[in-house]
Amino acid sequence: MTNIHDIAKQAGVSVSTVSRVLNNYKYVASDKRAAVLDIIEALNYTPNKHAIDLIRGETRNIGVILPYNNNTAFDQLLHGILNKASKQDYLITVLPSQYDKAKEIGYLEKIKSKLFDGIILTSRANDWEKIVPYSQYGPIISCEFTEQPEIGCAYTDRYRSFLDALQLLKNKGHQAVAFTTARLASNSTTQIIAAYQEIFGDIPAGYHITNCQSLDDGYAAAQQFMQLPERPSAIYANGDEVAGGIYLYAQSQQLQIPSDVAIIGQENQPVGIGLGLSTVDHQLTKIGEQALNLVIHRSKEKVNIPYQMVERQSM
Amino acid sequence: MTNIHDIAKQAGVSVSTVSRVLNNYKYVASDKRAAVLDIIEALNYTPNKHAIDLIRGETRNIGVILPYNNNTAFDQLLHGILNKASKQDYLITVLPSQYDKAKEIGYLEKIKSKLFDGIILTSRANDWEKIVPYSQYGPIISCEFTEQPEIGCAYTDRYRSFLDALQLLKNKGHQAVAFTTARLASNSTTQIIAAYQEIFGDIPAGYHITNCQSLDDGYAAAQQFMQLPERPSAIYANGDEVAGGIYLYAQSQQLQIPSDVAIIGQENQPVGIGLGLSTVDHQLTKIGEQALNLVIHRSKEKVNIPYQMVERQSM
DNA sequence: CTAATTGATGAAATGCATTTCAAGTCAAGC
DNA sequence: GCTTGACTTGAAATGCATTTCATCAATTAG
């Protein structure tokens, strides 16, 4: 491989001068600059990124830890991150963790090895105490709220959002509200359970189904809900794909929506538009964008992104 | 930052010995090894990845150029790539191009600068002649077929798949078959048009709608198709989300599926399972996995992944 | 009891570009 | 005529870990 020394030799200047040309410094005689540029062109030279990163100690590469790489919600987050990154000339490396603690730590170690300038955590498997120490090597930003002072976050207030949505259902006269969630151990699930209890009290048996991700999970969940002795009059799904499945099952049973059963989804995903599903938009794309901003500014701010109720016909 | 010299000094050995410990060589006296390990622990040392990459000339980082970062099909590809990469201990950097030629070239330049060991092209904006020269710096693998000898690819035979699907519809008695596509300028669109002409001859006016990506695009397309003086009896959608939209529109019009209108989608996506949509599975996840294999083996093979017909109730 | 291994270790070279420091030229200002 | 500031430029230090080469000790084989 040809390197900066080769260029210097061929152009009859010192490496410093080549470096100056490469980095567009003023104070390089125009004939030398031209000569260097010519040789660079002739030798088809490109500076070695590792050498640059090594000496500069900066990479413009951000790692994004995401548990699932085929989940619409994380895709939305990633979408926002990529948008902003692309504009700011940052590169994004995706780090799939499957909620594996060791894997997650492995990725965090990479910030210590200087591979990344910062890391965005879309969700996490480890306790904060395991994660926080890594923030001394570079900014770590969470897409969920955290009170950890060392960790900046861009988040939406899930608890309030759940309270709002459930209260809205209650106000519309629903007493029998069922809901679906993804991972039982997630932050989001904890929040909705708390909100549910706040609004409706104890969760009736069978009114909460977990591990719902896709449209057919929703379909299956709806089937279960509808076989319950006391059928729910409204269902709050943890995503619009799941809500879509619920909608389709209801429709297959000739149930009227929303009179027989009301449905609300989350995240305002494309499937919901066609089906006219009401949804709570947690603004995941915006959260992603904001998270990226926080990393590149090495900020430890807590940025609250307001969620949005999108009322369509299913509620 | 503490570096390998610090460790060497504190442990009373040479940097070579530290390096040997770091890389698990035999032939290090166990007491020295222990001493080094102790100091590493005490000083909380992690080797600098840039220094390693610089000297090794290898990164275990693969770039994946993808035009859209919020498109289900590319997500499936990426999903496959990430799965394999994670297992093989490779990192994936996603490079969103929006089909911008300059951006794409910019990403390819990065393989020249040694940032990536290889690049996977899920789709491309530039002509091959612009892309091929970069393959001298590292493997470039395409997820579409190419006859370029320098470029390995993992692909499915789109033309055959389209021929098959359309022939199947014809055999079932359909003469009026409409179809949707994504970008007009894409490889896939070119193939389906050719296949269509092969099977059915000229495309009737209004029988081809482009720029369909999401469920509501499908919904809108169906609406247009159904207003045509000669209504199609079957629609071949360019994805299951789009097919889902078509399904929902048809249902909203009390049309029987498949007797009034048959629908086939592509890619076997979750939405299709719930709706019972027939689909042609182009095995995007497998293609992604295979593409990653090709990069890490620096192979220029052309690997054909067979597509699969998935017959459900919509056809 | 030599010759040939195996084991252990450090000095120095290597990979590559950036940046600081010192030094030198030349023209403008007093 | 001398000082000062704007330009130019190169040598050398820097960032960090790997690897080759040479050396030396301790065995083992013959």
Side-chain angles (χ1 to χ4, degrees):
Chain A
M1 276 304 296
T2 131
N3 64 28
I4 199 172
H5 282 97
D6 302 334
I7 304 295
K9 200 182 297 175
Q10 303 252 339
V13 298
S14 72
V15 291
S16 336
T17 300
V18 178
S19 178
R20 289 189 187 103
V21 172
L22 249 19
N23 293 285
N24 260 312
Y25 280 2
K26 316 189 306 189
Y27 303 159
V28 177
S30 53
D31 56 326
K32 301 217 173 179
R33 164 166 277 134
V36 169
L37 253 16
D38 277 358
I39 304 292
I40 285 177
E41 174 87 28
L43 267 56
N44 190 20
Y45 164 76
T46 300
N48 183 306
K49 188 64 163 41
H50 301 308
I52 297 176
D53 288 346
L54 173 59
I55 201 158
R56 285 221 230 267
E58 213 202 52
T59 323
R60 294 189 87 80
N61 192 350
I62 309 286
V64 176
I65 299 183
L66 68 180
Y68 302 122
N69 56 79
N70 59 342
N71 172 301
T72 329
F74 293 110
D75 280 347
Q76 286 174 272
L77 240 22
L78 186 59
H79 180 56
I81 293 169
L82 283 170
N83 278 161
K84 254 296 179 345
S86 182
K87 278 180 203 144
Q88 310 276 331
D89 207 32
Y90 271 81
L91 253 32
I92 298 298
T93 299
V94 295
L95 310 169
S97 75
Q98 281 93 245
Y99 284 115
D100 179 313
K101 290 186 187 191
K103 251 191 187 158
E104 194 171 281
I105 294 293
Y107 293 140
L108 288 165
E109 283 285 332
K110 294 197 186 292
I111 198 178
K112 206 172 151 191
S113 78
K114 296 262 173 189
L115 220 204
F116 303 125
D117 287 350
I119 282 186
I120 295 175
L121 231 40
T122 60
S123 188
R124 83 201 140 85
N126 286 279
D127 292 332
W128 278 118
E129 32 183 314
K130 298 259 185 198
I131 297 172
V132 170
Y134 289 97
S135 65
Q136 67 187 282
Y137 308 110
I140 294 181
I141 304 297
S142 167
C143 294
E144 287 174 352
F145 177 76
T146 169
E147 69 302 326
Q148 300 290 331
E150 292 307 311
I151 309 289
C153 55
Y155 68 100
T156 199
D157 189 336
R158 294 261 167 175
Y159 183 64
R160 286 223 94 72
S161 124
F162 291 140
L163 276 183
D164 269 16
L166 294 171
Q167 186 62 54
L168 186 63
L169 287 171
K170 192 173 187 182
N171 292 348
K172 295 208 175 191
H174 294 284
Q175 283 300 332
V177 177
F179 64 101
T180 63
T181 57
R183 277 189 326 144
L184 188 55
S186 76
N187 183 278
S188 183
T189 300
T190 314
Q191 307 281 339
I192 197 172
I193 290 176
Y196 191 99
Q197 289 170 336
E198 168 93 23
I199 306 271
F200 293 114
D202 284 344
I203 304 168
Y207 269 41
H208 174 198
I209 295 178
T210 55
N211 293 317
C212 288
Q213 301 268 6
S214 62
L215 195 134
D216 33 317
D217 291 336
Y219 197 92
Q223 211 160 355
Q224 279 188 252
F225 285 143
M226 293 309 166
Q227 280 165 3
L228 253 28
E230 198 154 338
R231 264 172 36 178
S233 69
I235 302 173
Y236 190 13
N238 58 306
D240 290 336
E241 298 237 338
V242 175
I246 296 169
Y247 180 100
L248 293 172
Y249 178 77
Q251 213 174 44
S252 77
Q253 303 296 303
Q254 265 71 271
L255 293 170
Q256 291 299 311
I257 298 164
S259 52
D260 291 330
V261 58
I263 304 169
I264 321 185
Q266 287 177 49
E267 311 326 348
N268 197 12
Q269 292 158 342
V271 61
I273 303 173
L275 295 173
L277 297 174
S278 295
T279 191
V280 181
D281 189 337
H282 289 118
Q283 307 278 9
L284 298 176
T285 305
K286 273 195 192 164
I287 289 179
E289 291 175 358
Q290 191 55 244
L292 192 96
N293 267 342
L294 293 176
V295 195
I296 63 187
H297 294 119
R298 307 178 147 272
S299 162
K300 290 173 181 171
E301 268 176 83
K302 318 283 182 194
V303 181
N304 182 339
I305 312 279
Y307 52 90
Q308 231 142 40
M309 210 66 194
V310 180
E311 290 207 44
R312 289 196 275 250
Q313 303 90 50
S314 69
M315 178 194 70
Chain B
M1 276 305 295
T2 130
N3 64 29
I4 199 172
H5 283 97
D6 301 335
I7 304 296
K9 201 182 298 176
Q10 302 253 338
V13 299
S14 71
V15 290
S16 335
T17 299
V18 178
S19 177
R20 289 191 187 101
V21 172
L22 250 18
N23 293 285
N24 260 312
Y25 280 0
K26 317 189 304 189
Y27 304 159
V28 176
S30 53
D31 57 326
K32 301 216 173 175
R33 164 166 276 134
V36 169
L37 254 15
D38 277 358
I39 303 292
I40 286 178
E41 174 87 27
L43 267 54
N44 191 21
Y45 164 77
T46 300
N48 183 307
K49 188 63 162 43
H50 301 308
I52 298 175
D53 288 346
L54 174 59
I55 201 157
R56 284 222 230 266
E58 213 202 52
T59 323
R60 294 188 88 82
N61 190 351
I62 309 286
V64 176
I65 299 183
L66 68 179
Y68 302 122
N69 56 78
N70 60 341
N71 172 301
T72 328
F74 292 110
D75 280 346
Q76 285 174 274
L77 240 21
L78 186 60
H79 180 56
I81 294 169
L82 284 169
N83 276 161
K84 253 301 179 343
S86 183
K87 277 178 205 147
Q88 310 277 331
D89 206 31
Y90 271 81
L91 252 31
I92 297 298
T93 299
V94 294
L95 310 169
S97 75
Q98 282 91 246
Y99 284 116
D100 179 314
K101 290 186 187 191
K103 249 188 188 159
E104 193 171 282
I105 293 295
Y107 292 140
L108 288 165
E109 283 286 332
K110 294 197 187 292
I111 198 179
K112 205 173 151 188
S113 78
K114 296 261 173 191
L115 220 203
F116 303 124
D117 287 351
I119 283 185
I120 295 175
L121 232 41
T122 61
S123 187
R124 83 200 140 88
N126 287 278
D127 293 332
W128 278 118
E129 32 182 316
K130 297 258 186 199
I131 297 172
V132 170
Y134 290 98
S135 65
Q136 67 187 283
Y137 307 110
I140 294 181
I141 303 296
S142 168
C143 294
E144 286 173 352
F145 176 76
T146 169
E147 70 301 327
Q148 300 289 332
E150 292 307 311
I151 309 290
C153 54
Y155 68 101
T156 200
D157 190 337
R158 293 261 167 178
Y159 183 64
R160 286 223 94 74
S161 123
F162 290 141
L163 276 183
D164 268 16
L166 293 170
Q167 186 64 54
L168 186 62
L169 286 171
K170 192 175 186 181
N171 293 347
K172 295 209 174 189
H174 293 284
Q175 282 300 330
V177 177
F179 63 100
T180 64
T181 57
R183 277 190 325 144
L184 188 53
S186 76
N187 184 278
S188 182
T189 301
T190 313
Q191 308 279 341
I192 196 173
I193 289 176
Y196 191 99
Q197 289 170 336
E198 168 95 21
I199 305 271
F200 292 113
D202 285 343
I203 305 168
Y207 268 41
H208 175 199
I209 294 178
T210 54
N211 294 316
C212 288
Q213 301 268 7
S214 63
L215 195 134
D216 31 318
D217 291 337
Y219 196 92
Q223 210 161 355
Q224 279 187 254
F225 285 143
M226 292 309 166
Q227 280 164 5
L228 254 27
E230 198 153 337
R231 266 173 35 178
S233 69
I235 303 173
Y236 189 14
N238 59 305
D240 290 336
E241 298 236 338
V242 174
I246 295 169
Y247 180 100
L248 293 172
Y249 178 77
Q251 211 172 45
S252 77
Q253 302 296 302
Q254 265 72 268
L255 293 169
Q256 292 298 312
I257 297 164
S259 52
D260 292 329
V261 58
I263 303 170
I264 320 184
Q266 287 177 50
E267 312 324 348
N268 198 11
Q269 293 157 342
V271 59
I273 303 172
L275 295 173
L277 297 173
S278 296
T279 191
V280 182
D281 189 336
H282 289 117
Q283 307 277 9
L284 297 176
T285 304
K286 271 195 191 162
I287 289 179
E289 290 175 357
Q290 191 55 244
L292 192 96
N293 267 342
L294 293 177
V295 196
I296 63 187
H297 294 119
R298 308 179 147 269
S299 162
K300 291 173 182 169
E301 266 175 85
K302 319 283 181 194
V303 181
N304 183 338
I305 312 278
Y307 51 90
Q308 231 143 38
M309 209 66 193
V310 180
E311 291 206 44
R312 289 195 274 250
Q313 304 89 51
S314 71
M315 177 194 71

